[in-house]
């Protein structure tokens, strides 16, 4: 009996660990997209809810009848490293126009259990015309329809919209296209992860640009940690207890550890660093990592989590899925060889050198401004995955970037293709990113 109990306990630990990593990679998990994964989360929702609440302060909602699980990740320092992406156009990130359309369309869909694409477009036109802070939406123009389709395809991927009849893409060619949707209003309301609604931080539109950073901070301020009220900037700041301070430190450190590719000590505030190096903090960190099924690499510069099964890996590096990602790997060599970092013009020259070496490669960058654009796109990737940073006007390799230093080129490379390279210490397949 004891052996059976041990086996059951071991099976539960393994399943919980797998489900944690699954939700870290896919905070919105639907039964339609992953029936097996959703069933695992459904069965282990109680220990999962407790783990995410204690470790990261994140709320997990599992709706078995509606077929979705939503982990609301809150980041203390919001950034643009994980943008919404278009289903078409090489999965390019959303621009400002698409984000505006997404917000307006979502607001209109809240009261529509069923909708046609034309009906929704008309309501978006009216809503944006009534708001003086927004540029009007005109579906007569093809670029506008393309942006609108990108928004609807994103909502389809979230399972908020389900096509009953027709095909969304047909709207690009004609504003008269007929598409019918079923709307999951409940799931739509679960999408925002910010603990404070934007309407509670309402400011005059003309003040938004100057106060944008402060507004972002206001959206993610949480009452549980004490201090000023999240939605009343005029309220007196309440005293913060030791328990609240320790809770904030635990959540702020572990959120970043479980949500970012690498956590550098230099990026931690003094109190966060003191917490993570304390006896209690280290014990909690190691126990949480073990419970989630990760391997912890602890170096003088910081911490890195490795997922042996790559379940939690949402972005891989190295990755040859795009020209910019290949260039990012190749640019690490000159960056690592120059500890002081490279200036923009030096990066552009490094990009030009790659294009000279492989003239048939990276055709989208074969123009006068191509080398600079290639370098910019590659650097953006390195910044997003924590392998490079900025020091004033230079880009510098960060400690984790040296894991990918070039050690050899395998075989002669065709002039039209980048070389096949071997990197030292490459763990891209298992990194939690």
């Amino acid at each position: 009996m004891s052996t059976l109990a041990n086996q059951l306990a071991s099976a539960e630990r393994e399943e919980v660990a797998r489900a944690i990593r699954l939700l870290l990679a896919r905070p919105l998990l639907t039964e339609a997209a992953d029936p097996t994964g959703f069933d695992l989360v459904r069965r282990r929702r109680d220990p999962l809810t407790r783990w995410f609440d204690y470790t990261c302060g994140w709320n997990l909602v599992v709706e078995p009848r509606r077929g979705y699980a939503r982990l609301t990740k809150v980041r203390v320092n919001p950034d643009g490293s994980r943008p919404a992406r278009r289903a078409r156009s090489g999965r390019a990130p959303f621009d400002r126009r698409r984000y505006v359309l997404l917000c307006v369309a979502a607001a209109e869909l809240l009261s529509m259990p069923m909708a046609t694409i034309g009906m929704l477009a008309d309501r978006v036109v009216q809503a944006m015309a009534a708001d003086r802070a927004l540029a009007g939406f005109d579906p007569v123009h093809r670029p506008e329809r393309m942006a609108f389709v990108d928004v609807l395809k994103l909502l389809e991927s979230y399972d908020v919209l389900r096509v009953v009849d027709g095909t969304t893409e047909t709207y690009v060619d004609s504003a008269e296209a007929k598409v019918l949707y079923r709307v999951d209003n409940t799931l739509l309301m679960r999408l925002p992860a910010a603990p404070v609604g934007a309407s509670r931080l309402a400011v005059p539109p003309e003040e938004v640009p100057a106060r944008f950073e402060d507004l972002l901070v206001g959206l993610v301020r949480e009452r549980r940690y004490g201090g000023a009220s999240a939605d009343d900037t005029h309220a007196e700041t309440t005293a913060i207890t030791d328990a609240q301070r320790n809770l904030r430190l635990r959540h702020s450190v572990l959120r970043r550890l479980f949500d970012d590719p690498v956590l550098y000590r230099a990026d931690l505030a003094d109190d966060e660093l003191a917490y993570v190096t304390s006896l209690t903090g280290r014990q909690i960190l190691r126990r949480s990592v073990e419970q989630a099924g990760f391997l912890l690499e602890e170096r003088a510069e910081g911490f890195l989590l490795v997922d042996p099964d790559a379940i939690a890996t949402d972005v891989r590096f190295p990755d040859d899925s795009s020209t910019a990602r290949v260039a990012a790997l190749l640019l690490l060599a000159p960056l690592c060889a120059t500890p002081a970092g490279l200036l923009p013009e030096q990066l552009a020259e490094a990009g030009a050198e790659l294009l000279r070496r492989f003239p048939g490669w990276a055709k989208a960058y074969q123009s006068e401004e191509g080398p600079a654009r290639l370098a910019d796109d590659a650097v953006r990737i390195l910044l997003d995955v924590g392998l490079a940073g900025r020091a004033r006007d230079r880009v510098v390799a960060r400690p984790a970037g040296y894991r990918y230093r070039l050690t050899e080129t395998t075989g002669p490379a065709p002039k039209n293709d980048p070389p096949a390279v071997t990197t030292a210490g490459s763990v891209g397949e298992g990194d939690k990113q």
Side-chain angles (χ1 to χ4, degrees), residues 141-183:
H141 300 294
R142 181 181 176 89
E144 290 279 77
R145 297 199 303 272
M146 292 176 65
F148 193 55
V149 165
D150 289 333
V151 166
L152 298 183
K153 293 299 294 182
L154 180 70
L155 292 173
E156 284 183 41
S157 71
Y158 293 157
D159 222 28
V160 168
L161 292 181
R162 295 188 181 182
V163 177
V164 177
D165 185 41
T167 305
T168 302
E169 289 84 345
T170 58
Y171 189 73
V172 172
D173 296 322
S174 173
E176 303 302 320
K178 306 298 182 184
V179 189
L180 177 64
Y181 301 103
R182 179 176 292 110
V183 185

Side-chain angles (χ1 to χ4, degrees), residues 159-348:
D159 222 28
V160 168
L161 292 181
R162 295 188 181 182
V163 177
V164 177
D165 185 41
T167 305
T168 302
E169 289 84 345
T170 58
Y171 189 73
V172 172
D173 296 322
S174 173
E176 303 302 320
K178 306 298 182 184
V179 189
L180 177 64
Y181 301 103
R182 179 176 292 110
V183 185
D184 190 331
N185 310 99
T186 304
L187 178 54
L188 178 61
M189 289 188 290
R190 294 285 186 192
L191 292 185
V196 179
S199 61
R200 292 161 63 185
L201 297 174
V203 297
E206 59 273 11
E207 295 183 18
V208 170
R211 299 177 55 185
F212 187 73
E213 297 298 328
D214 291 337
L215 291 173
L216 283 182
V217 172
L219 290 175
V220 296
R221 187 177 292 126
E222 297 168 84
R223 292 178 179 273
R224 71 172 78 188
Y225 306 128
S229 172
D231 56 345
D232 187 356
T233 56
H234 301 291
E236 294 184 2
T237 300
T238 58
I240 300 175
T241 66
D242 289 341
Q244 289 174 318
R245 183 178 297 106
N246 289 330
L247 184 66
R248 179 187 63 80
L249 291 173
R250 181 173 79 228
H251 289 167
S252 65
V253 170
L254 293 181
R255 282 175 180 180
R256 294 169 67 178
L257 181 66
F258 284 104
D259 205 32
D260 290 328
V262 61
L263 177 61
Y264 293 105
R265 295 177 191 268
D267 293 339
L268 296 174
D270 291 341
D271 56 352
E272 292 175 327
L273 184 58
Y275 175 83
V276 80
T277 54
S278 68
L279 178 60
T280 300
R282 290 176 66 85
Q283 289 176 339
I284 292 175
L285 184 150
R286 292 182 178 276
R287 183 173 66 247
S288 300
V289 168
E290 180 182 359
Q291 290 171 341
F294 287 105
L295 300 178
L296 176 66
E297 286 192 15
E298 185 174 354
R299 305 292 177 90
E301 301 84 3
F303 308 88
L304 183 144
L305 295 187
V306 178
D307 180 359
D309 304 310
I311 297 171
T313 304
D314 63 337
V315 176
R316 298 176 185 272
F317 191 90
D319 181 11
D320 61 358
S321 63
S322 73
T323 300
R325 291 190 172 277
V326 174
L329 177 60
L330 296 175
L331 278 184
L332 276 175
L335 280 173
C336 292
T338 314
L342 297 177
L343 293 165
E345 53 268 26
Q346 293 173 308
L347 288 165

Side-chain angles (χ1 to χ4, degrees), residues 42 52 140 199 331 348 401 426 431:
R42 178 190 59 78
F52 279 112
V140 171
S199 61
L331 278 184
S426 174
D431 282 354

